[in-house]
Amino acid sequence: MTPRTLTTTALAALLALGLGACSSPSSDTTATSANPATTATTAPSDFDKAMATPTTLTFWTWVNDIQNQIDLFTAKYPAIKVEVVNAGQGGPEYQKLRTAIEAGSGAPDVAQIEYQYLSSFRLTNDLLDLKPYVGDITGEFPGWIASQIGGNGGIWGVPQDTGPMGFLYRTDLLQAAGLKTPATWAEFGTAATAYHTATGNYLTDMPGNDPGQLVGLFWQAGARPFAYDGDKTVTIDLTSDKVNQVLEFWQPLVDNGAVATDPDFTDQWYQGLANGTYASWLTAAWGPLFLQGTAGDTSGKWGAAPLPQWQTGAPVSGNWGGSTDAVLASSPNPVAAAELARFINLEKAPALTLANEQFLFPAMTSILGAPEFADATSDFYGGQKVNALFATISGTVSTDFEWLPFMDYVYSSFNDTLGKAWADKTDLKAGAAAWQADLVQYAQAQGFTVK
Amino acid sequence: MTRRQSPARRREARAGYLFLLPFAVVFTAMLVVPLVYSAYLSLYRRQLVGGTAFVGLANYARALKDQEFLAGVGRVGLVLLVQVPVMLVLALVLALVLDSGRLHLKRFVRLAVFVPYAVPAVIAALMWGYLYGRDFGPFAQLAKALGVAPFDFLGNGTMLGSIMNIVTWSFVGYNMIIMYSALRTVPAELYEAARIDGAGEFQIAWSIKVPALRPAIILTVIFSVIGSFQLFNEPSILRSIAPNVITRGYTPNLYAYNQAFAAQDMNYSAAIAFLLGFVIMIVSYVFQLTTRRKAAAA
């Protein structure tokens, strides 16, 4: 080997390795979280002292204009300074958060974390149990929130926004095709086929790359595919009757192309919503506003409705998205950090501005019912009270839905298994079985007991 | 027998080391240390539940049996076998054409072919992702205008070819420049002599220019071997528009990335990266060996 090839090949190897060299194998710096047994909140004197001590809190969030709420917070607690960092939305933030936790420095005091990722940070004991600091706040929210922020008797994040699922559709296009708003899934299926036959376009797009959306529909159907006991045991059940019920419903629509299966949140998909290729979107409470930004030219032509139902009678929904603000166990200022998380999301003034100015769909029951929020009408939806509709839907989200403590893997695996079956129009149940098998294998390799 | 060095020589040697020092420091800190650390990582297994344990070469054994990893290696191997020859032949032809001096607008052509290399890989992938688009890309528009079904550039069967096309577009100019500069060093007397001996342009190209390019071609092949096995940016970007076609293990580097960040398995990721490094070393070495044998035989 000449010296030059030696360097070239060594360089090649080094380049290949760059990726792997980001973490240490050393065991966790197990910052034990506050003892969940203590239920008493911080003594008032300790609280006042903590809030009067000059402190700088670091807050990772991707909410726009969060300074609105921070200003209210610092106006009340002038001793506390809050440094806001946008470390990316969702996945990228969690990666940075894990890296910082791993490194033992640089982690924030408070971080925005979506509901389905709370348990992955609980697993490594990186979250502070907020119950001793803010008390049992679950009563402030619709019933389904409790299982989203709870576990092991603690409270692991303060709900900020939610995504109860509903149905946005083009009233004009459905009318032109002679279809009424589908109230049940059976009607939806018939309408999808009829619409595609009549127009060549699609009643909706159901992508193979959005596990959050599909899991929300599983949730609505009553499936409980995931559970975590807070210790070492996880439940993975993607071949249950309820999951099958959903998949069997979509299978023929996917197979015969009555619904589109284009990946969502891509340019093509945005155009599809804007130009009428897709006449509806099965989305969440954050969807109405998002759609306004995407399909502005179609203002006034949209309507909002609850999700189609499996059974007539009491309506049921699922949730897709939404976040909490959680406090890291490593925070040296737990009292102030917990108060920040509580204040901006539970105090009326900041919570209302979050809902009305930053357009986060609120979690709190009192904000959902507040006239300033619920009475708003939307021209984009033909003057409909969309907020009020989704507020009602939030009350119908079925309870006790849980997640696995490794949702990053669950969702990335989806694209290669069930999602791939969806996009390739092959057997969806086989795709779900492949997803199940991959997750079980991963969970076992990671040391979990799988039920 | 030991030879004693004169003091002057020793001073010179010391100065040499001193000059080397800045490079050595950076090289050690940025390359050697991470390399050793990765090697160390790859020998451990860390579970989300149960902590860290030394597992020896278990991660490597797992990778060698991992169908996703092997499929990824196979895929980039195919890129190497198909895309690299096409790209290098194109680069060679372009270099020869430019060197022949018979081209008008020579400078413009040279620049135009080289410019894609100056486009960052991420931008290139985004741009091609748009061009390939099934609804609004120019190819799709053209198909629509002609009344035929648009070609699906981003399907299961076509994606790899589409990626190869992007890579070729990006790197043909780079390889051309290497070959072209090598050609410029060939003394013009050689061509004159050949012409006097009655050689035509093609004969000159084949018998003088190509052999003169040998070292440059070997260099470009080695670079391309490395580049193909390291394929990451293009599939990673196109993944956002074809999420169910480009799987997490589409290329070995993408797999290493996803193992590290989606599966939180840094140890396995490090092992994969090391194995990939070995594969690259072996392929590069085998290539070197065969070309040297041929040179010796010739």
Side-chain angles (χ1 to χ4, degrees):
Chain A
M1 219 185 229
T2 61
R4 186 204 262 159
T5 29
L6 196 71
T7 8
T8 328
T9 38
L11 199 73
L14 285 161
L15 287 169
L17 285 160
L19 281 168
C22 312
S23 165
S24 98
S26 65
S27 64
D28 259 330
T29 44
T30 335
T32 31
S33 48
N35 182 2
T38 41
T39 43
T41 50
T42 321
S45 58
D46 290 348
F47 180 83
D48 292 341
K49 197 175 144 212
M51 299 314 290
T53 313
T55 310
T56 302
L57 296 174
T58 318
F59 180 19
W60 286 10
T61 178
W62 62 85
V63 173
N64 285 332
D65 301 326
I66 192 73
Q67 202 58 44
N68 294 348
Q69 285 73 33
I70 307 258
D71 288 345
L72 293 170
F73 177 79
T74 45
K76 182 164 180 201
Y77 305 110
I80 315 276
K81 267 213 246 140
V82 181
E83 207 174 284
V84 176
V85 177
N86 184 345
Q89 175 163 355
E93 190 209 67
Y94 307 140
Q95 282 173 15
K96 286 178 198 135
L97 201 52
R98 290 206 177 93
T99 309
I101 289 167
E102 199 88 358
S105 72
D109 297 277
V110 184
Q112 181 178 2
I113 298 177
E114 290 156 283
Y115 294 100
Q116 69 268 33
Y117 291 97
L118 281 174
S119 62
S120 79
F121 289 97
R122 256 172 68 205
L123 166 75
T124 43
N125 292 318
D126 291 317
L127 295 188
L128 182 73
D129 178 10
L130 296 172
K131 211 174 203 172
Y133 298 91
V134 302
D136 187 354
I137 52 174
T138 47
E140 306 276 353
F141 309 100
W144 62 273
I145 298 263
S147 67
Q148 300 295 305
I149 57 168
N152 294 34
I155 302 272
W156 305 97
V158 180
Q160 180 159 65
D161 64 323
T162 59
M165 287 183 78
F167 180 60
L168 303 178
Y169 60 98
R170 284 283 292 273
T171 43
D172 59 331
L173 294 180
L174 259 65
Q175 214 159 30
L179 297 167
K180 62 185 180 75
T181 317
T184 64
W185 284 110
E187 286 175 26
F188 182 91
T190 320
T193 312
Y195 188 79
H196 182 60
T197 317
T199 65
N201 283 329
Y202 306 97
L203 179 59
T204 200
D205 176 54
M206 194 60 200
N209 70 324
D210 211 320
Q213 182 185 24
L214 186 61
V215 166
L217 296 181
F218 288 158
W219 185 336
Q220 184 212 15
R224 294 294 176 265
F226 313 125
Y228 171 51
D229 75 343
D231 186 30
K232 284 183 186 173
T233 308
V234 293
T235 306
I236 304 168
D237 188 8
L238 288 157
T239 52
S240 68
D241 292 347
K242 297 285 187 190
V243 169
N244 286 343
Q245 175 189 331
V246 176
L247 297 180
E248 279 162 13
F249 169 76
W250 287 100
Q251 183 83 62
L253 298 176
V254 168
D255 282 348
N256 62 28
V259 298
T261 53
D262 305 324
D264 63 1
F265 300 100
T266 63
D267 288 335
Q268 187 190 332
W269 180 82
Y270 293 130
Q271 293 222 346
L273 280 177
N275 66 20
T277 307
Y278 321 128
S280 76
W281 185 22
L282 296 160
T283 185
W286 42 263
L289 197 90
F290 184 88
L291 188 65
Q292 276 184 46
T294 302
D297 290 348
T298 51
S299 180
K301 296 178 180 167
W302 290 82
L307 278 185
Q309 297 294 311
W310 291 104
Q311 274 152 8
T312 47
V316 186
S317 187
N319 184 70
W320 174 19
S323 307
T324 69
D325 285 326
V327 176
L328 277 291
S330 57
S331 167
N333 318 300
V335 175
E339 175 61 9
L340 173 66
R342 186 200 70 81
F343 181 90
I344 62 175
N345 296 306
L346 296 192
E347 288 288 331
K348 190 168 183 191
L352 255 183
T353 51
L354 272 177
N356 285 338
E357 282 170 36
Q358 280 122 302
F359 303 108
L360 296 184
F361 191 81
M364 269 177 95
T365 316
S366 60
I367 304 289
L368 288 170
E372 300 98 309
F373 175 74
D375 289 347
T377 57
S378 167
D379 291 339
F380 189 85
Y381 298 92
Q384 213 180 336
K385 286 188 180 174
V386 176
N387 283 349
L389 173 78
F390 277 93
T392 315
I393 294 175
S394 187
T396 68
V397 173
S398 70
T399 56
D400 296 329
F401 195 89
E402 289 186 44
W403 304 98
L404 291 173
F406 43 85
M407 289 311 290
D408 328 36
Y409 188 80
V410 174
Y411 282 177
S412 94
S413 168
F414 172 84
N415 280 359
D416 294 354
T417 53
L418 177 53
K420 188 156 181 60
W422 207 286
D424 293 351
K425 304 185 195 297
T426 58
D427 186 359
L428 298 182
K429 280 202 262 184
W435 195 17
Q436 164 92 14
D438 188 54
L439 296 186
V440 169
Q441 193 191 15
Y442 177 79
Q444 282 167 346
Q446 291 295 333
F448 291 97
T449 310
V450 181
K451 262 207 306 210
Chain B
M1 185 185 106
T2 49
R3 236 173 41 201
R4 292 190 54 187
Q5 289 182 326
S6 69
R9 260 198 88 85
R10 239 180 293 156
R11 247 199 326 273
E12 231 172 68
R14 223 176 301 149
Y17 284 118
L18 217 61
F19 278 120
L20 197 64
L21 194 66
F23 169 75
V25 167
V26 174
F27 184 75
T28 310
M30 299 300 161
L31 291 174
V32 177
V33 171
L35 189 67
V36 171
Y37 185 51
S38 286
Y40 163 78
L41 275 178
S42 71
L43 302 177
Y44 285 80
R45 182 172 67 202
R46 179 176 162 188
Q47 294 175 298
L48 290 174
V49 177
T52 305
F54 180 78
V55 291
L57 296 175
N59 285 324
Y60 293 89
R62 181 182 153 199
L64 290 174
K65 283 184 290 185
D66 186 335
Q67 291 307 319
E68 266 183 287
F69 173 64
L70 297 177
V73 173
R75 209 169 275 123
V76 291
L78 192 65
V79 172
L80 178 66
L81 290 178
V82 177
Q83 183 263 335
V84 171
V86 170
M87 173 179 71
L88 293 184
V89 166
L90 264 176
L92 178 63
V93 169
L94 282 165
L96 289 172
V97 168
L98 280 177
D99 189 61
S100 73
R102 310 217 159 169
L103 205 63
H104 298 290
L105 298 170
K106 185 170 139 190
R107 283 206 183 137
F108 172 77
V109 172
R110 198 169 67 196
L111 188 68
V113 177
F114 187 72
V115 153
Y117 178 67
V119 177
V122 172
I123 308 289
L126 284 172
M127 192 187 81
W128 278 98
Y130 161 75
L131 295 176
Y132 288 150
R134 193 156 43 82
D135 271 2
F136 48 82
F139 298 117
Q141 305 269 5
L142 185 71
K144 247 171 239 171
L146 295 173
V148 293
F151 185 77
D152 185 6
F153 289 99
L154 305 170
N156 285 318
T158 49
M159 180 58 89
L160 197 61
S162 301
I163 289 176
M164 288 187 204
N165 179 47
I166 302 178
V167 177
T168 305
W169 177 85
S170 296
F171 287 97
V172 78
Y174 170 74
N175 289 305
M176 177 205 71
I177 289 290
I178 293 178
M179 294 182 193
Y180 178 71
S181 348
L183 276 178
R184 301 309 290 171
T185 63
V186 179
E189 293 83 5
L190 273 181
Y191 302 145
E192 273 164 38
R195 273 189 204 105
I196 291 167
D197 287 347
E201 284 303 315
F202 283 101
Q203 213 171 347
I204 290 175
W206 184 250
S207 305
I208 299 176
K209 293 188 178 178
V210 173
L213 275 177
R214 219 183 123 77
I217 292 175
I218 291 174
L219 183 76
T220 54
V221 170
I222 297 286
F223 280 166
S224 305
V225 168
I226 298 168
S228 324
F229 278 101
Q230 299 274 346
L231 209 54
F232 178 79
N233 280 330
E234 292 80 5
S236 175
I237 298 285
L238 291 179
R239 202 171 182 222
S240 63
I241 53 173
N244 303 114
V245 174
I246 296 185
T247 55
R248 63 187 165 198
Y250 200 77
T251 70
N253 260 357
L254 200 60
Y255 195 46
Y257 174 84
N258 281 310
Q259 283 297 332
F261 293 111
Q264 296 180 57
D265 197 341
M266 295 287 178
N267 309 105
Y268 189 47
S269 176
I272 288 173
F274 249 97
L275 272 181
L276 184 65
F278 287 134
V279 171
I280 293 173
M281 270 193 259
I282 291 165
V283 173
S284 308
Y285 187 61
V286 166
F287 175 75
Q288 289 267 316
L289 220 57
T290 46
T291 49
R292 196 161 349 135
R293 284 245 178 83
K294 269 188 209 142

